[in-house]
């Protein structure tokens, strides 16, 4: 182990492990020069890295030279993507654990966020969806996977992991990786040596860590190939003894285990990732375009759906709300009592939740929860905008799906519109089947590959929604339906009709065009 040797940072005192290209502060290290092996005074053994390098090359440990990574030698090396797993303690059988996951060697053409889908027989605490985020330095923020093995039989449990890099505007650049780590759940009466023997027999690139004055000790029979990285920090002790012990017993002692899983990229055909009408907001229009009684089921596929006041030009929100009176929609009057940014609906850790971000307040079942206080939505919950004046806009949670929520108006605008909010690029899969008996006449929709899909509740067929799709053939939607790629298609129709009226106005009228809208 050497101190930082960057010529431009002579005052950096960070220790750098042999073979690492940069120090903890990000300073690049020069390529290691061939040197004579360093022999320790205690036992005459070189460093653990020298021993491992010698065993891999089939040489004597005494003649080992420091291991130089390929990335430091002449010419750049092709780095393989890996998922680094650390903090695993096999002795915590039957309890809750949190392992740290880090992405390494990922290509630079990844999306800024990489979603991770996890499936396992272990009890995952935070669900099966997690997101890796790229930092401004180009590396990735680690995530923690919490699970429990309480009540499970001892043995090895596979964790199926899928990593998806999706570019909403570039479906051809989407990439997918998979890996399958194995978590060991030992017997409650298993000794520490038995646990380590089982683990080392099924894993590669094992790292033994000792922190805070701990002891990391590895004793193994001589010969063969060893692939163990021993690290000691903060006044800890690391000892490697490869001499033949009595009886050939392997004895390990450490606090946690870390290892690397190679990520295997899956070649997904481009046509599977394409959608005929990519959109994050859309609408199902019930009735003919010229009908005076149109109804709109407005669709939103957003991580955070912002609800606010209806503004035809430059609105601040995604889901736009307007007061409906006796004669229909009123964009003035009580509509002005809605904030431009009134509330946010998002998918939280335990389900969909709503948060008041307005100046006028939101009542949930008649109670104001307080500003910036997320509240979990429940079936049948009534949402009133605003807190000071009743009847401006009132919504009800009419359906809660694993991947979305449906809101119906219960005020005078009930016959005009309803709202369907789903998680973006999420196919609930088998989770939808549990909802099918309760769906009734509601269309079952989801968002995938950048666009909206309809799932037929009888045949299970999936249909991509796009303008021109024959919606009459789909059950649960009804006849005379059309799909629009905008959440508020009627505003564009009104603007076009207003333009036609301006063009048809005689030049002698002298009225400004703005007064005719």
């Amino acid at each position: 182990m050497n101190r930082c040797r960057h010529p431009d940072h002579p005052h950096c005192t960070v220790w750098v492990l042999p073979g690492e290209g940069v120090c903890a502060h990000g300073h690049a290290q020069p390529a290691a020069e061939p040197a004579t092996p360093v022999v320790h005074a205690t036992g005459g053994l070189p460093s653990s890295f020298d021993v491992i390098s010698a065993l891999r090359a089939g040489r004597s440990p005494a003649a080992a030279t420091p291991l130089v990574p390929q990335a430091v030698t002449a010419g750049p090396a092709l780095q393989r993507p890996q998922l680094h797993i650390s903090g695993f303690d096999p002795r915590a059988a039957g309890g809750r654990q949190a392992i740290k996951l880090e992405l390494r060697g990922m290509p630079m053409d990844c999306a800024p966020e990489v979603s991770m889908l996890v499936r396992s027989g272990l009890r995952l605490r935070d669900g099966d969806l997690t997101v890796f985020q790229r930092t401004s330095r180009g590396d990735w923020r680690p995530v923690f996977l919490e699970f429990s093995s309480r009540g499970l039989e001892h043995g090895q449990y596979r964790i199926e992991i899928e990593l998806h890099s999706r570019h909403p505007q570039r479906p051809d650049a989407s990439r997918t990786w998979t890996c399958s780590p194995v978590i060991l759940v030992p017997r409650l009466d298993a000794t520490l040596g038995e646990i380590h023997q089982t683990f080392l027999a099924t894993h590669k690139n094992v790292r033994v860590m000792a922190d805070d004055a701990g002891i990391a000790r590895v004793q193994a029979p001589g010969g063969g190939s060893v692939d163990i990285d021993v690290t000691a920090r903060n006044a800890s002790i690391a000892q490697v003894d490869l001499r033949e012990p009595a009886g050939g017993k392997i004895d390990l002692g450490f606090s946690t285990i870390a290892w690397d899983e190679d990520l295997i990229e899956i070649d997904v055909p481009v046509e599977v990732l394409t959608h005929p009408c990519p959109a994050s907001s859309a609408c199902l229009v019930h009735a003919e375009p010229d009908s005076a009684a149109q109804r709109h089921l407005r669709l939103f596929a957003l991580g955070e759906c912002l609800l606010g006041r209806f503004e035809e030009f430059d609105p601040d929100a995604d889901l736009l709300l307007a007061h409906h009176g006796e004669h229909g929609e009123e964009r003035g009057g009580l509509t002005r009592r809605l904030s431009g940014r009134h509330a946010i609906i998002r998918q939280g850790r335990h389900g969909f939740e709503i948060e008041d971000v307005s100046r006028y307040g939101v009542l949930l079942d008649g109670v104001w929860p307080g500003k910036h206080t997320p509240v979990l939505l429940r079936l049948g919950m009534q949402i009133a905008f605003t807190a000071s004046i009743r009847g401006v806009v009132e919504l009800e949670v009419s359906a809660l799906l694993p991947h979305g929520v449906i809101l119906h108006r219960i005020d005078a605008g009930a016959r005009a519109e309803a709202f369907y909010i789903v998680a973006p690029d999420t196919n609930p899969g088998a989770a939808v089947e549990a909802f099918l008996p309760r769906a009734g006449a509601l269309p079952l929709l989801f968002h995938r590959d950048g666009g909206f899909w309809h799932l037929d509740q009888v045949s299970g067929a999936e249909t991509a929604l796009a303008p021109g799709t024959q919606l009459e053939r789909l059950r649960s939607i009804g006849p005379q339906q059309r799909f629009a790629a905008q959440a508020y298609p009627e505003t564009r129709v009104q603007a076009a009709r207003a333009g036609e009226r301006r063009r048809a106005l005689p030049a002698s009228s002298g009225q400004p065009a703005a007064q005719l809208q």
Side-chain angles (χ1 to χ4, degrees):
M1 184 178 294
N2 303 314
R3 291 186 184 275
C4 177
R5 295 179 294 166
H6 196 286
D8 297 335
H9 300 276
H11 302 291
C12 182
T13 60
V14 177
W15 289 97
V16 183
L17 292 174
E20 290 194 356
V22 295
C23 71
H25 292 165
H27 305 150
Q29 302 299 300
E33 298 292 338
T36 57
V38 179
V39 180
H40 292 208
T42 59
L45 285 174
S47 67
S48 60
F49 287 88
D50 301 336
V51 174
I52 294 172
S53 178
L55 290 175
R56 286 174 174 171
R59 294 178 280 124
S60 171
T65 58
L67 180 63
V68 182
Q70 189 176 2
V72 184
T73 59
L78 183 60
Q79 194 174 12
R80 299 180 60 181
Q82 289 183 327
L83 181 66
H84 178 67
I85 305 174
S86 59
F88 171 57
D89 187 357
R91 296 169 296 181
R96 189 170 67 187
Q97 291 205 52
I99 56 177
K100 184 179 181 181
L101 305 179
E102 299 175 274
L103 291 179
R104 297 181 176 179
M106 298 296 288
M108 294 305 296
D109 61 348
C110 285
E113 292 186 351
V114 173
S115 59
M116 179 178 69
L117 298 177
V118 182
R119 294 185 296 271
S120 176
L122 299 170
R123 296 186 173 91
L124 302 176
R125 180 185 178 188
D126 299 329
D128 55 359
L129 178 62
T130 313
V131 176
F132 285 96
Q133 295 178 330
R134 191 192 295 272
T135 66
S136 57
R137 298 180 303 178
D139 56 350
W140 298 87
R141 290 183 56 188
V143 301
F144 290 86
L145 183 65
E146 299 186 23
F147 63 91
S148 173
S149 58
R150 184 178 301 276
L152 298 180
E153 184 182 359
H154 74 275
Q156 300 181 36
Y157 288 82
R158 186 174 68 252
I159 300 180
E160 298 292 344
I161 295 179
E162 293 183 6
L163 298 174
H164 299 278
S165 171
R166 298 289 179 86
H167 295 268
Q169 306 301 330
R170 298 176 54 200
D172 57 331
S174 300
R175 306 177 69 172
T176 299
W177 295 268
T178 62
C179 67
S180 299
V182 176
I183 295 296
L184 173 65
V185 178
R187 304 190 315 272
L188 296 179
D189 59 346
T191 65
L192 194 59
E194 292 174 342
I195 293 175
H196 298 154
Q197 283 184 352
T198 305
F199 189 86
L200 292 178
T202 57
H203 286 74
K204 300 293 184 181
N205 301 325
V206 176
R207 287 179 173 85
V208 180
M209 310 293 295
D211 290 322
D212 299 328
I215 298 177
R217 181 176 296 111
V218 177
Q219 293 180 351
S225 177
V226 180
D227 197 3
I228 303 176
D229 180 1
V230 181
T231 302
R233 301 171 181 160
N234 301 331
S236 300
I237 299 175
Q239 178 183 351
V240 178
D241 186 1
L242 299 178
R243 292 172 296 180
E244 185 74 28
K249 181 182 178 181
I250 299 177
D251 187 12
L252 302 176
F254 49 84
S255 56
T256 59
I257 303 174
W259 72 94
D260 294 328
E261 289 286 344
D262 287 334
L263 295 176
I264 303 174
E265 184 169 1
I266 304 300
D267 187 11
V268 181
V270 176
E271 57 270 17
V272 176
L273 299 177
T274 58
H275 191 278
C277 182
S280 59
S281 61
C283 184
L284 287 176
V285 184
H286 296 233
E288 295 296 334
D290 296 332
S291 174
Q294 291 189 18
R295 297 185 61 193
H296 301 87
L297 180 59
R298 309 192 193 276
L299 315 178
F300 301 91
L302 303 169
E304 287 189 347
C305 185
L306 182 61
L307 289 72
R309 182 179 62 247
F310 190 101
E311 296 286 353
E312 189 167 356
F313 301 101
D314 297 328
D316 294 329
D318 306 304
L319 193 156
L320 306 179
L321 297 171
H323 173 67
H324 282 252
E326 182 180 356
H327 302 289
E329 186 181 60
E330 299 176 358
R331 298 185 183 176
L334 290 180
T335 298
R336 310 309 299 177
R337 300 297 295 179
L338 298 171
S339 297
R341 301 167 59 91
H342 206 109
I344 296 176
I345 293 181
R346 66 171 68 91
Q347 187 176 21
R349 177 171 297 182
H350 303 291
F352 283 85
E353 58 189 22
I354 186 171
E355 178 183 350
D356 179 16
V357 295
S358 69
R359 58 181 297 187
Y360 298 111
V362 174
L363 295 181
L364 303 179
D365 289 332
V367 179
W368 180 56
K371 193 172 183 179
H372 300 299
T373 303
V375 177
L376 194 66
L377 294 177
R378 65 173 182 82
L379 189 63
M381 175 182 286
Q382 295 187 2
I383 308 171
F385 303 80
T386 64
S388 57
I389 302 178
R390 302 300 297 270
V392 179
V393 172
E394 295 185 358
L395 307 177
E396 183 180 80
V397 181
S398 56
L400 280 176
L401 289 73
H403 68 298
V405 57
I406 301 178
L407 304 174
H408 276 83
R409 297 189 67 145
I410 54 176
D411 52 17
R415 297 185 59 84
E417 59 184 358
F419 308 98
Y420 208 129
I421 304 174
V422 297
D425 286 317
T426 301
N427 185 355
V432 177
E433 297 179 0
F435 177 78
L436 292 181
R438 306 192 306 269
L442 295 174
L444 200 49
L445 308 178
F446 62 93
H447 192 264
R448 186 185 67 199
D449 305 333
F452 290 94
W453 296 73
H454 174 268
L455 176 62
D456 190 276
Q457 300 180 32
V458 177
S459 64
E462 299 177 355
T463 304
L465 299 183
T469 304
Q470 298 297 323
L471 299 183
E472 293 83 359
R473 295 184 296 103
L474 303 180
R475 296 176 181 267
S476 76
I477 295 183
Q480 297 183 346
Q481 310 302 320
R482 62 185 178 90
F483 175 84
Q486 306 87 26
Y488 295 86
E490 71 274 17
T491 59
R492 300 185 61 183
V493 174
Q494 292 174 359
R497 291 177 178 174
E500 293 177 357
R501 289 197 301 269
R502 286 195 297 269
R503 288 191 297 269
L505 183 69
S508 60
S509 64
Q511 300 184 26
Q515 297 180 2
L516 300 178
Q517 296 186 18

